[in-house]
Amino acid sequence: DLPIIMYHSISSDESRLGEYVITPQQFESDLIYLKQQGFEAITANELIMHQKYGTELPQKPVIITLDDGQLSSLTKALPICKRQGFKMTVCCVAKWAQTAAEEAQPDEDYSYCDAADICRLRESGICEIACHSYDMHSLEGRKGVLKKDDESEELYTSRLISDISKAQSFFDENCAFRPNVFCYPYGFNDELSAKIVRACTFQASLSAEEGINIITDESSLYGLKRFNRPYGHTSEEFFSSILP
């Protein structure tokens, strides 16, 4: 059984707290609670290695993900994960990372990680990066990476492959790696998008459907379920409602 917890922004600004923003204290409290329950954090790549080559996993694995590549992943989440001995997976939208490099004064509550920040995350040794698309994290025109109603399958396929290729080129050219985990924007996915993601050689993918993952074979590495962590519940309240 593998729970995956989905975080977004970590902020001390009380006016921002809500469904996708929690405080640094709450984030750290969550990690301490998980540790007390015997959980150890792994990366999606460690899960891939286990499934492919039989490498060992902890008795009670958990994956900690942070969506959208927000700057607080580097400035707030990373130091807390280091302190608590946790690994983390940060899902970056490549275009937002590209645009972030142009900001004169990044704001950790509103800005995103740029390429240099992504390199710092990876150099920490406890953070992996997942591809969250190049520029499909939007609800305008289409829902995330899903096909539009008026789009032919052929045109849609070429557009999604083009977006993913652009994202992978950005990571390759600026950070010298290509993510092998794909995170669906807003979690939206279907059979066709899943087929394309696999064809783009990603070895795992993250959805936003809630549930505990049962890993049986390589196909169960795709569309991995995650629990969104909102503000407003203690660590015990939140985890006791989702953990087996």
Side-chain angles (χ1 to χ4, degrees):
D1 292 0
L2 173 68
I4 304 180
I5 316 303
M6 173 171 57
Y7 296 90
H8 289 77
S9 185
I10 315 283
S11 175
S12 300
D13 179 351
E14 286 191 11
S15 68
R16 298 192 64 231
L17 304 177
E19 191 177 359
Y20 301 113
V21 186
I22 68 167
T23 64
Q25 294 80 6
Q26 187 69 78
F27 183 65
E28 187 150 22
S29 165
D30 283 0
L31 303 191
I32 291 168
Y33 181 85
L34 286 167
K35 200 157 53 170
Q36 288 170 344
Q37 302 305 309
F39 283 93
E40 285 182 60
I42 62 168
T43 61
N45 268 283
E46 286 175 304
L47 180 63
I48 292 165
M49 294 297 283
H50 169 73
Q51 194 53 52
K52 286 197 158 199
Y53 307 111
T55 53
E56 279 196 35
L57 289 180
Q59 280 290 104
K60 293 176 75 173
V62 63
I63 295 179
I64 302 296
T65 66
L66 291 110
D67 277 21
D68 305 342
Q70 309 217 10
L71 188 55
S72 61
S73 301
L74 174 70
T75 59
K76 291 196 164 82
L78 183 66
I80 292 169
C81 281
K82 273 186 177 171
R83 193 156 57 235
Q84 297 303 333
F86 270 65
K87 295 170 183 174
M88 60 192 233
T89 299
V90 177
C91 309
C92 295
V93 180
K95 187 173 185 185
W96 296 356
Q98 210 168 30
T99 308
E102 299 161 12
E103 283 189 54
Q105 291 182 303
D107 180 332
E108 65 179 344
D109 276 337
Y110 294 97
S111 298
Y112 295 93
C113 291
D114 63 18
D117 297 326
I118 290 169
C119 291
R120 286 188 200 102
L121 284 166
R122 293 187 76 236
E123 286 159 8
S124 70
I126 62 166
C127 179
E128 73 176 350
I129 304 296
C131 175
H132 208 18
S133 83
Y134 175 75
D135 189 24
M136 283 191 165
H137 199 294
S138 170
L139 296 174
E140 292 176 23
R142 76 170 75 244
K143 290 172 67 176
V145 301
L146 297 183
K147 185 174 95 64
K148 295 180 189 174
D149 292 339
D150 61 353
E151 215 169 19
S152 71
E153 194 171 307
E154 188 180 13
L155 182 59
Y156 165 69
T157 299
S158 71
R159 282 174 174 164
L160 179 51
I161 289 173
S162 172
D163 178 89
I164 289 171
S165 299
K166 207 168 174 183
Q168 296 294 69
S169 294
F170 168 81
F171 292 118
D172 197 7
E173 290 163 16
N174 295 280
C175 309
F177 81 105
R178 285 178 175 249
N180 64 345
V181 177
F182 188 79
C183 179
Y184 290 104
Y186 303 100
F188 295 137
N189 67 96
D190 58 12
E191 201 173 317
L192 182 54
S193 61
K195 184 179 163 187
I196 296 165
V197 163
R198 289 186 75 154
C200 289
T201 70
F202 289 104
Q203 294 176 23
S205 61
L206 303 167
S207 78
E209 183 186 345
E210 299 209 324
I212 299 284
N213 298 284
I214 311 295
I215 309 299
T216 52
D217 55 25
E218 284 187 34
S219 68
S220 52
L221 299 175
Y222 293 92
L224 291 165
K225 298 171 182 172
R226 299 185 293 164
F227 291 99
N228 181 57
R229 172 50 157 130
Y231 180 70
H233 307 276
T234 66
S235 300
E236 187 173 3
E237 285 168 352
F238 175 70
F239 286 113
S240 62
S241 70
I242 66 166
L243 294 178

